[in-house]
């Protein structure tokens, strides 16, 4: 019985791999899960005591459970049957498609990642790049919001930094569930975004089966009180102006909303603006039909060069932030109060009647957003230089014109970022320095003049406050 058995090296390696997997499965992975689950629960208990809008049980439900709920939702099952019948496909094949859609959409919220890693990362990045400010916030009105209601932040979309900026500023009050486009479905970025509570959306998808799955997920999340953030324009503004609202996500939230039975849905308008948008020139290129199409490799190379140059400037203490990034929060709008005021019950309206009402509501929300978009120094300077492209200004001329423009905007109710007279002059000089560094303005001694070739980029920034001066 003491004899030896000889086996092939490949078989020995296979046995070792199986033994390691068994060790991981039975001992290491369960203990690791217990360790992280304990830390997550501790974070949830700690954070839950200070959040204005608490984390909902729906967000803490196991992801596979949510996927199963979505796949076997009555409306989704009905759509599966219709799709199989119309396209002469087996039910199993259609259901497999629905499972893949559900896995793509449903997030896997992790409170530890959100508050311990995501919040820290968002705060560091935002403050590294910008002087971050909250211009105005309707605290008293927020205190009157029913804590059991579903809060939806509706905002304009200026930059991909919006995700970072608003998540950082709102993290002291609530968690946010974003609708994220397909651009973010890159490993490992998609894992992090999903863990932060975001859900992926295929923009402009005409697939009715996919749209039904997406609709039912948003309906479930809204009904369960999950706090959400929606870019009402649907995508980035490419010319700086506010774009017409997209109705899809708001319609999904409200199409089965009954104000007499369901919890209230409270919309909070959010206005965002920056002194510099990192992707501004790329957005403007879309208006040039002759512009060469740039591939993924070009984007990666350009991003790497940008990061490398920024690091070099930091090492030599020549780094400067890109001016202000400001967020304003407007007065909340209750869907229940709106329905009572308008005599509406969205759940009882057929599609032909519901869509015009949703559109009217979205335009009202878009108007509320426009009223809180911050007026920042670069937007003011761009407006001044555009008004006299061939004129050279000295600092006193610029200060006089900026003060007159600020007074005019404030008289119209525009949310000009509040500052003292001395601080205002300092911020105007900083804005001109930023524009000079970007070659939008040339400096000759103490004289400054707009660069004609950069009129498009200046108009882009002036357009952010253009809705206050449309009659001129």
């Amino acid at each position: 019985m003491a004899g030896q058995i000889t086996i092939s090296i490949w078989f020995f390696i296979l046995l070792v791999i199986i033994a390691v997997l068994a060790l991981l499965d039975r001992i290491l992975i369960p203990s690791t899960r217990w360790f992280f689950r304990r830390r997550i629960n501790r974070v949830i208990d700690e954070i839950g005591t200070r959040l204005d809008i608490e984390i909902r049980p729906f967000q803490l439900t196991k992801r596979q459970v949510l996927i199963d709920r979505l796949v076997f939702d009555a409306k989704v099952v009905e759509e599966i049957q219709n799709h199989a019948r119309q396209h002469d496909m087996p039910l199993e094949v259609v259901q497999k498609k629905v499972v893949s859609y559900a896995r793509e959409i449903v997030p896997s919220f992790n409170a530890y990642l959100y508050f311990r890693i995501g919040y820290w990362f968002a705060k560091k990045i935002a403050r590294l790049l910008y002087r971050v400010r909250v211009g105005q916030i309707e605290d008293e009105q927020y205190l009157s919001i029913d804590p059991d209601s579903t809060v939806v932040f509706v905002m304009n979309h200026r930059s991909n930094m919006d995700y970072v900026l608003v998540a950082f500023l709102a993290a002291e009050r609530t968690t946010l569930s974003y609708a994220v486009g397909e651009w973010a479905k890159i490993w490992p970025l998609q894992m992090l975004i999903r863990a932060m509570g975001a859900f992926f959306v295929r923009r402009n998808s005409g697939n009715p089966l996919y749209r039904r799955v997406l609709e039912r997920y948003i309906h479930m999340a809204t009904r369960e009180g999950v706090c959400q953030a929606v870019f009402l324009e649907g995508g980035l503004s490419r010319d700086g102006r506010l774009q017409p609202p997209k109705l899809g996500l708001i319609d999904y939230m409200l199409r089965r909303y009954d104000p007499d039975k369901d919890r209230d849905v409270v919309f909070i308008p959010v206005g965002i603006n920056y002194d510099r948008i990192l992707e501004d020139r790329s957005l403007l290129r879309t208006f040039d039909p002759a512009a060469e199409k740039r591939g993924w490799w070009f984007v990666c190379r350009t991003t790497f060069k940008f990061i490398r140059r920024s690091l070099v400037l930091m090492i030599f203490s020549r780094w400067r932030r890109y001016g202000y990034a400001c967020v304003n929060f407007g007065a909340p709008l209750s869907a229940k109060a709106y329905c009572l005021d308008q005599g509406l019950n969205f759940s009882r309206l057929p599609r032909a009647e519901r869509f015009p009402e949703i559109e009217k509501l979205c335009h009202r929300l878009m108007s509320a957003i426009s009223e809180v978009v911050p007026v920042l120094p670069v937007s003011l300077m761009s407006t001044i230089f555009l008004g006299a492209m061939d004129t050279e200004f000295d600092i006193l001329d610029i200060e006089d014109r900026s003060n007159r423009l600020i007074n005019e905007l404030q008289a119209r109710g525009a949310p000009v970022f509040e500052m003292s007279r001395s601080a205002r002059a300092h911020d105007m000089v900083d804005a001109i320095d930023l524009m000079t560094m970007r070659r939008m303005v040339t400096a000759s001694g103490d004289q400054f003049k707009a660069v004609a070739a950069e009129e498009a980029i200046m108009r882009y920034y002036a357009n952010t406050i253009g809705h206050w001066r449309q009659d001129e």
Side-chain angles (χ1 to χ4, degrees):
M1 299 297 291
Q4 294 182 347
I5 298 176
T6 303
I7 61 174
S8 302
I9 185 66
W10 66 265
F11 187 64
F12 173 74
I13 292 173
L14 179 63
L15 289 176
V16 170
I17 291 173
I18 292 172
V20 170
L21 290 175
L23 182 66
L24 288 171
D25 182 63
R26 296 296 178 180
I27 300 175
L28 296 180
I29 290 179
S31 60
T32 303
R33 282 177 182 161
W34 173 84
F35 173 77
F36 281 111
R37 175 55 58 187
R38 185 180 170 195
R39 292 182 73 91
I40 290 170
N41 288 338
R42 190 182 302 160
V43 169
I44 292 171
D45 291 341
E46 176 191 335
I47 298 298
T49 59
R50 65 175 174 81
L51 290 180
D52 293 342
I53 305 169
E54 64 182 17
I55 300 172
R56 305 299 187 188
F58 181 87
Q59 295 170 274
L60 303 176
T61 303
K62 193 174 181 181
R63 183 168 180 259
Q64 188 57 50
V65 174
L66 296 179
I67 291 172
D68 291 340
R69 279 181 60 183
L70 186 55
V71 170
F72 294 102
D73 178 85
K75 297 290 182 183
V76 173
V77 171
E78 182 182 343
E79 189 65 36
I80 289 173
Q81 294 170 342
N82 292 338
H83 190 88
R85 186 167 53 252
Q86 291 171 8
H87 296 82
D88 195 23
M89 297 172 65
L91 280 172
E92 294 78 8
V93 174
V94 181
Q95 190 167 43
K96 190 174 180 181
K97 280 188 176 182
V98 168
V99 171
S100 68
Y101 296 154
R103 290 187 182 281
E104 178 183 311
I105 293 169
V106 175
S108 53
F109 177 74
N110 185 305
Y112 187 86
L113 275 177
Y114 192 99
F115 289 103
R116 288 292 183 263
I117 298 175
Y119 172 70
W120 178 88
F121 179 80
K123 180 172 69 173
K124 293 295 182 183
I125 291 295
R127 287 182 171 172
L128 174 67
L129 297 178
Y130 298 101
R131 285 183 282 177
V132 179
R133 298 290 186 273
V134 176
Q136 66 183 50
I137 186 165
E138 304 285 347
D139 271 322
E140 292 184 4
Q141 296 190 56
Y142 294 156
L143 293 175
S144 65
I145 295 175
D146 182 355
D148 193 46
S149 62
T150 300
V151 174
V152 180
F153 290 88
V154 286
M155 58 194 78
N156 64 317
H157 201 1
R158 298 283 288 129
S159 165
N160 287 315
M161 267 296 297
D162 296 344
Y163 298 98
V164 176
L165 183 66
V166 178
F168 153 51
L169 292 177
E172 293 296 328
R173 295 171 176 268
T174 184
T175 59
L176 292 178
S177 178
Y178 279 104
V180 179
E182 292 177 279
W183 62 269
K185 290 176 64 177
I186 305 167
W187 190 91
L189 181 61
Q190 67 172 345
M191 297 173 61
L192 177 62
I193 289 175
R194 191 171 271 130
M196 294 288 286
F199 58 96
F200 292 96
V201 174
R202 297 184 185 182
R203 304 290 184 187
N204 303 317
S205 172
N207 185 338
L209 186 62
Y210 170 80
R211 304 302 293 186
R212 176 65 76 184
V213 178
L214 177 62
E215 175 219 327
R216 294 308 297 170
Y217 171 76
I218 293 174
H219 170 78
M220 286 165 51
T222 305
R223 193 163 193 141
E224 295 290 340
V226 176
C227 184
Q228 299 172 63
V230 174
F231 294 110
L232 203 54
E233 297 164 290
L236 288 170
S237 172
R238 300 188 181 279
D239 60 2
R241 294 186 180 93
L242 293 172
Q243 305 301 304
K246 300 290 186 181
L247 313 183
L249 294 183
I250 302 298
D251 180 55
Y252 289 167
M253 292 177 187
L254 297 179
R255 67 169 52 176
R256 303 185 192 282
Y257 178 68
D258 186 339
D260 298 324
K261 299 177 183 177
D262 297 332
R263 70 170 82 211
D264 195 6
V265 179
V266 179
F267 297 101
I268 297 178
V270 180
I272 307 171
N273 205 359
Y274 303 84
D275 271 333
R276 179 181 177 182
I277 308 294
L278 297 179
E279 58 270 59
D280 50 11
R281 297 187 188 275
S282 298
L283 293 170
L284 286 172
R285 277 178 59 84
T286 59
F287 293 106
D288 183 4
E292 181 184 353
K293 189 174 181 180
R294 292 170 172 173
W296 179 249
W297 171 243
F298 177 85
V299 174
C300 292
R301 190 171 70 248
T302 304
T303 303
F304 174 75
K305 287 180 178 178
F306 172 79
I307 294 173
R308 184 182 63 187
R309 182 173 178 273
S310 299
L311 289 174
V312 170
L313 290 174
M314 289 178 188
I315 291 171
F316 288 98
S317 301
R318 293 172 57 194
W319 167 260
R320 59 172 297 168
R321 288 181 288 185
Y322 302 136
Y324 285 106
C326 188
V327 177
N328 287 339
F329 295 84
L333 173 65
S334 162
K336 184 170 289 190
Y338 179 83
C339 287
L340 293 174
D341 181 60
Q342 300 291 319
L344 292 173
N345 187 325
F346 288 109
S347 65
R348 297 176 187 172
L349 293 177
R351 188 180 190 278
E353 297 179 23
R354 186 185 71 249
F355 248 71
E357 294 296 339
I358 292 290
E359 184 175 18
K360 189 163 69 172
L361 172 61
C362 286
H363 279 292
R364 178 166 170 177
L365 291 172
M366 202 73 231
S367 176
I369 292 171
S370 71
E371 292 174 0
V372 294
V373 173
V375 177
L376 296 183
V378 169
S379 300
L380 290 166
M381 292 299 100
S382 296
T383 303
I384 290 169
F385 279 108
L386 281 171
M389 290 291 291
D390 298 325
T391 305
E392 288 190 344
F393 299 110
D394 61 26
I395 287 295
L396 293 178
D397 290 333
I398 293 172
E399 184 178 3
D400 179 61
R401 285 174 180 253
S402 64
N403 286 331
R404 277 189 280 143
L405 180 56
I406 287 171
N407 292 336
E408 173 196 327
L409 293 172
Q410 286 179 328
R412 298 186 181 196
V416 180
F417 183 66
E418 286 297 329
M419 57 190 87
S420 66
R421 197 80 175 183
S422 58
R424 181 186 292 180
H426 181 267
D427 284 335
M428 294 305 109
V429 171
D430 277 353
I432 294 171
D433 286 345
L434 182 61
M435 294 172 73
T436 304
M437 182 182 70
R438 302 194 65 198
R439 299 181 178 89
M440 297 161 64
V441 172
T442 57
S444 177
D446 60 352
Q447 300 291 310
F448 300 90
K449 184 180 178 182
V451 177
E454 299 298 330
E455 181 178 353
I457 195 75
M458 281 192 284
R459 197 165 298 283
Y460 173 86
Y461 285 98
N463 283 343
T464 63
I465 61 174
H467 55 282
W468 290 105
R469 311 181 79 240
Q470 286 179 350
D471 57 340
E472 295 188 4

